[in-house]
Amino acid sequence: MLRRLALTAVVSLAALATAVPASTASGPVSSGSVSSGPVSSGPVPSAVPTTGPFAAARPSLGPLPLPVPPLPGFLDGGEGKGTGGVNEVLTRLTVSVENTGVAGADGTFELECGPTGGSHPQGQAACDRLAEAGATRAGRQELFRPTPEGTMCTMIHGGDASARIVGTWEGRAVDTTASRRDGCEIARWNSLVPVLPDVR
């Protein structure tokens, strides 16, 4: 009796072992099972469609354009125009003069260059002088620079005239004073004529 029961159990287990692989191969694989069949080596489909009406647009990226910097005054004719808009004025100065002793020379005047404008009595000539100085590196550095401390200057008094110039010259900030108290200041004043009045 015991031998018959044992033989029946062995036959049942063998039949079950034969049926399980067949059902596993033909049925869907559940999320918790691991398939032992061959893995496909074909391309993995993309989640983003590459053709048809839903294809994502792929712009072609070329080299980015570089902005063109404005030209300095000595390259664009020295008029302070740069490469800005048509009505852009990069030279705009307020010139205040007093105690010159010259009729019509004292007062506060506005000077614009590129194009020439303002109330300066010698506007065009003054703009030409600024353009001439702006055409050289030495001129751009020296025109409005004050006399350095400790400079040996001749003790020549050229009068009580004084002036102040404030604003922008070819896009650079300007704030300087001038007088005729000694030889250095006289020479500096004369270099600024006709932006400053000629009182010689």
Side-chain angles (χ1 to χ4, degrees):
M1 183 66 178
L2 292 176
R3 291 180 61 186
R4 183 177 299 177
L5 290 175
L7 181 60
T8 302
V10 170
V11 172
S12 299
L13 289 174
L16 181 61
T18 303
V20 169
S23 61
T24 304
S26 60
V29 179
S30 64
S31 60
S33 62
V34 178
S35 174
S36 60
V39 178
S40 174
S41 60
V44 178
S46 173
V48 179
T50 57
T51 59
F54 299 102
R58 296 185 179 182
S60 177
L61 298 179
L64 296 177
L66 296 177
V68 179
L71 292 175
F74 69 96
L75 291 180
D76 65 3
E79 298 182 357
K81 294 180 181 179
T83 57
V86 175
N87 297 322
E88 183 181 20
V89 177
L90 296 181
T91 296
R92 181 181 287 109
L93 300 173
T94 300
V95 183
S96 301
V97 184
E98 58 184 11
N99 300 325
T100 62
V102 178
D106 292 358
T108 299
F109 310 99
E110 301 295 328
L111 175 63
E112 295 182 358
C113 302
T116 302
S119 59
H120 196 285
Q122 299 185 62
Q124 186 57 58
C127 288
D128 291 343
R129 174 67 187 107
L130 294 176
E132 179 186 9
T136 65
R137 180 178 181 181
R140 293 191 303 274
Q141 292 177 344
E142 299 293 334
L143 184 62
F144 290 110
R145 189 175 73 169
T147 303
E149 292 291 337
T151 301
M152 299 295 294
C153 302
T154 58
M155 300 303 293
I156 301 175
H157 184 66
D160 297 327
S162 62
R164 184 180 183 186
I165 304 174
V166 180
T168 57
W169 173 43
E170 297 187 353
R172 295 182 288 271
V174 173
D175 187 351
T176 190
T177 58
S179 70
R180 300 180 65 83
R181 66 175 181 266
D182 57 36
C184 294
E185 286 298 295
I186 292 173
R188 184 164 172 265
W189 183 292
N190 292 342
S191 72
L192 286 165
V193 174
V195 179
L196 296 181
D198 189 351
V199 296
R200 291 172 286 188

Short mmCIF file of all heavy atoms in Angstrom, two decimals, residues 39-69:
data_model
loop_
_atom_site.label_atom_id
_atom_site.label_comp_id
_atom_site.label_asym_id
_atom_site.label_seq_id
_atom_site.Cartn_x
_atom_site.Cartn_y
_atom_site.Cartn_z
N VAL A 39 17.00 36.91 -24.86
CA VAL A 39 16.76 38.36 -24.82
C VAL A 39 16.97 38.92 -26.20
O VAL A 39 18.00 38.66 -26.83
CB VAL A 39 17.71 39.04 -23.81
CG1 VAL A 39 17.47 40.55 -23.81
CG2 VAL A 39 17.50 38.45 -22.42
N SER A 40 16.00 39.72 -26.67
CA SER A 40 16.11 40.30 -28.01
C SER A 40 17.22 41.33 -28.05
O SER A 40 17.37 42.14 -27.13
CB SER A 40 14.77 40.94 -28.40
OG SER A 40 14.90 41.62 -29.62
N SER A 41 18.01 41.31 -29.11
CA SER A 41 19.12 42.27 -29.26
C SER A 41 18.77 43.39 -30.22
O SER A 41 19.63 44.13 -30.65
CB SER A 41 20.37 41.53 -29.77
OG SER A 41 20.08 40.93 -31.03
N GLY A 42 17.49 43.55 -30.59
CA GLY A 42 17.08 44.60 -31.52
C GLY A 42 17.09 45.97 -30.86
O GLY A 42 17.31 46.11 -29.66
N PRO A 43 16.86 47.03 -31.62
CA PRO A 43 16.88 48.39 -31.08
C PRO A 43 15.74 48.63 -30.10
O PRO A 43 14.63 48.14 -30.28
CB PRO A 43 16.74 49.27 -32.33
CG PRO A 43 16.06 48.39 -33.33
CD PRO A 43 16.55 47.01 -33.06
N VAL A 44 16.02 49.37 -29.05
CA VAL A 44 15.00 49.72 -28.05
C VAL A 44 14.17 50.86 -28.59
O VAL A 44 14.73 51.89 -28.98
CB VAL A 44 15.66 50.11 -26.71
CG1 VAL A 44 14.61 50.50 -25.70
CG2 VAL A 44 16.52 48.97 -26.20
N PRO A 45 12.86 50.72 -28.65
CA PRO A 45 12.04 51.82 -29.21
C PRO A 45 12.16 53.07 -28.36
O PRO A 45 12.21 53.02 -27.14
CB PRO A 45 10.62 51.25 -29.20
CG PRO A 45 10.66 50.16 -28.17
CD PRO A 45 12.04 49.58 -28.23
N SER A 46 12.22 54.24 -29.01
CA SER A 46 12.34 55.53 -28.31
C SER A 46 10.99 55.97 -27.82
O SER A 46 9.96 55.74 -28.45
CB SER A 46 12.94 56.58 -29.26
OG SER A 46 12.90 57.84 -28.65
N ALA A 47 10.97 56.63 -26.65
CA ALA A 47 9.72 57.16 -26.09
C ALA A 47 9.27 58.40 -26.83
O ALA A 47 8.13 58.80 -26.73
CB ALA A 47 9.92 57.47 -24.61
N VAL A 48 10.19 59.06 -27.58
CA VAL A 48 9.84 60.27 -28.31
C VAL A 48 9.73 59.90 -29.78
O VAL A 48 10.69 59.37 -30.37
CB VAL A 48 10.93 61.35 -28.12
CG1 VAL A 48 10.57 62.61 -28.91
CG2 VAL A 48 11.09 61.65 -26.65
N PRO A 49 8.59 60.15 -30.44
CA PRO A 49 8.45 59.81 -31.86
C PRO A 49 9.41 60.62 -32.69
O PRO A 49 9.64 61.81 -32.45
CB PRO A 49 6.99 60.17 -32.17
CG PRO A 49 6.62 61.17 -31.13
CD PRO A 49 7.39 60.78 -29.90
N THR A 50 10.02 59.94 -33.70
CA THR A 50 10.98 60.61 -34.57
C THR A 50 10.40 60.89 -35.94
O THR A 50 11.03 61.61 -36.74
CB THR A 50 12.24 59.75 -34.72
OG1 THR A 50 11.87 58.45 -35.22
CG2 THR A 50 12.95 59.57 -33.38
N THR A 51 9.21 60.34 -36.25
CA THR A 51 8.56 60.61 -37.53
C THR A 51 7.09 60.85 -37.28
O THR A 51 6.56 60.54 -36.20
CB THR A 51 8.74 59.42 -38.51
OG1 THR A 51 8.17 58.23 -37.91
CG2 THR A 51 10.21 59.17 -38.81
N GLY A 52 6.40 61.38 -38.29
CA GLY A 52 4.98 61.62 -38.18
C GLY A 52 4.67 62.99 -37.58
O GLY A 52 5.55 63.79 -37.26
N PRO A 53 3.39 63.30 -37.42
CA PRO A 53 2.99 64.65 -36.95
C PRO A 53 3.41 64.96 -35.53
O PRO A 53 3.42 66.10 -35.13
CB PRO A 53 1.46 64.62 -37.09
CG PRO A 53 1.11 63.17 -37.03
CD PRO A 53 2.23 62.44 -37.67
N PHE A 54 3.72 63.91 -34.71
CA PHE A 54 4.10 64.15 -33.31
C PHE A 54 5.60 64.11 -33.11
O PHE A 54 6.07 64.04 -31.98
CB PHE A 54 3.42 63.10 -32.41
CG PHE A 54 1.93 63.15 -32.46
CD1 PHE A 54 1.21 62.23 -33.21
CD2 PHE A 54 1.25 64.12 -31.75
CE1 PHE A 54 -0.17 62.29 -33.25
CE2 PHE A 54 -0.13 64.19 -31.79
CZ PHE A 54 -0.85 63.27 -32.55
N ALA A 55 6.34 64.10 -34.19
CA ALA A 55 7.80 64.07 -34.07
C ALA A 55 8.28 65.36 -33.44
O ALA A 55 7.82 66.44 -33.78
CB ALA A 55 8.44 63.86 -35.44
N ALA A 56 9.21 65.25 -32.51
CA ALA A 56 9.75 66.43 -31.83
C ALA A 56 10.67 67.18 -32.77
O ALA A 56 11.47 66.59 -33.47
CB ALA A 56 10.50 66.01 -30.56
N ALA A 57 10.53 68.52 -32.76
CA ALA A 57 11.40 69.35 -33.59
C ALA A 57 12.79 69.38 -32.99
O ALA A 57 12.96 69.59 -31.80
CB ALA A 57 10.84 70.76 -33.70
N ARG A 58 13.78 69.20 -33.83
CA ARG A 58 15.17 69.21 -33.37
C ARG A 58 15.92 70.31 -34.12
O ARG A 58 16.36 70.10 -35.25
CB ARG A 58 15.84 67.85 -33.62
CG ARG A 58 15.20 66.71 -32.83
CD ARG A 58 15.96 65.43 -33.02
NE ARG A 58 15.36 64.34 -32.25
CZ ARG A 58 15.84 63.10 -32.19
NH1 ARG A 58 16.93 62.81 -32.90
NH2 ARG A 58 15.25 62.17 -31.47
N PRO A 59 16.00 71.51 -33.51
CA PRO A 59 16.67 72.61 -34.22
C PRO A 59 18.14 72.33 -34.41
O PRO A 59 18.79 71.71 -33.57
CB PRO A 59 16.45 73.81 -33.29
CG PRO A 59 16.26 73.19 -31.94
CD PRO A 59 15.56 71.90 -32.18
N SER A 60 18.67 72.82 -35.51
CA SER A 60 20.09 72.66 -35.78
C SER A 60 20.85 73.80 -35.12
O SER A 60 20.60 74.96 -35.39
CB SER A 60 20.33 72.69 -37.30
OG SER A 60 21.70 72.62 -37.57
N LEU A 61 21.75 73.45 -34.21
CA LEU A 61 22.50 74.45 -33.46
C LEU A 61 23.83 74.72 -34.16
O LEU A 61 24.68 73.84 -34.22
CB LEU A 61 22.74 73.97 -32.02
CG LEU A 61 21.48 73.73 -31.18
CD1 LEU A 61 21.84 73.23 -29.80
CD2 LEU A 61 20.65 75.01 -31.09
N GLY A 62 23.97 75.91 -34.67
CA GLY A 62 25.23 76.31 -35.28
C GLY A 62 26.03 77.19 -34.34
O GLY A 62 25.66 77.39 -33.18
N PRO A 63 27.14 77.75 -34.79
CA PRO A 63 27.92 78.65 -33.93
C PRO A 63 27.15 79.90 -33.62
O PRO A 63 26.48 80.48 -34.47
CB PRO A 63 29.16 78.94 -34.79
CG PRO A 63 28.72 78.66 -36.20
CD PRO A 63 27.73 77.55 -36.10
N LEU A 64 27.19 80.32 -32.35
CA LEU A 64 26.47 81.51 -31.92
C LEU A 64 27.18 82.76 -32.44
O LEU A 64 28.40 82.87 -32.38
CB LEU A 64 26.40 81.56 -30.39
CG LEU A 64 25.62 80.41 -29.74
CD1 LEU A 64 25.68 80.54 -28.22
CD2 LEU A 64 24.19 80.40 -30.21
N PRO A 65 26.41 83.77 -32.92
CA PRO A 65 27.05 85.00 -33.40
C PRO A 65 27.62 85.80 -32.25
O PRO A 65 27.05 85.86 -31.16
CB PRO A 65 25.89 85.74 -34.09
CG PRO A 65 24.67 85.22 -33.40
CD PRO A 65 24.96 83.77 -33.07
N LEU A 66 28.77 86.42 -32.48
CA LEU A 66 29.41 87.25 -31.46
C LEU A 66 29.01 88.70 -31.66
O LEU A 66 28.98 89.20 -32.78
CB LEU A 66 30.94 87.12 -31.55
CG LEU A 66 31.50 85.73 -31.27
CD1 LEU A 66 33.00 85.72 -31.47
CD2 LEU A 66 31.17 85.28 -29.85
N PRO A 67 28.68 89.44 -30.55
CA PRO A 67 28.33 90.85 -30.70
C PRO A 67 29.53 91.66 -31.14
O PRO A 67 30.65 91.40 -30.74
CB PRO A 67 27.87 91.23 -29.28
CG PRO A 67 28.55 90.25 -28.39
CD PRO A 67 28.64 88.98 -29.16
N VAL A 68 29.28 92.65 -31.97
CA VAL A 68 30.36 93.51 -32.46
C VAL A 68 30.51 94.68 -31.50
O VAL A 68 29.56 95.43 -31.28
CB VAL A 68 30.03 94.04 -33.87
CG1 VAL A 68 31.14 94.96 -34.37
CG2 VAL A 68 29.84 92.88 -34.82
N PRO A 69 31.68 94.84 -30.85
CA PRO A 69 31.85 95.94 -29.89
C PRO A 69 31.87 97.27 -30.60
O PRO A 69 32.24 97.37 -31.76
CB PRO A 69 33.21 95.63 -29.23
CG PRO A 69 33.93 94.84 -30.28
CD PRO A 69 32.89 94.04 -31.01
#
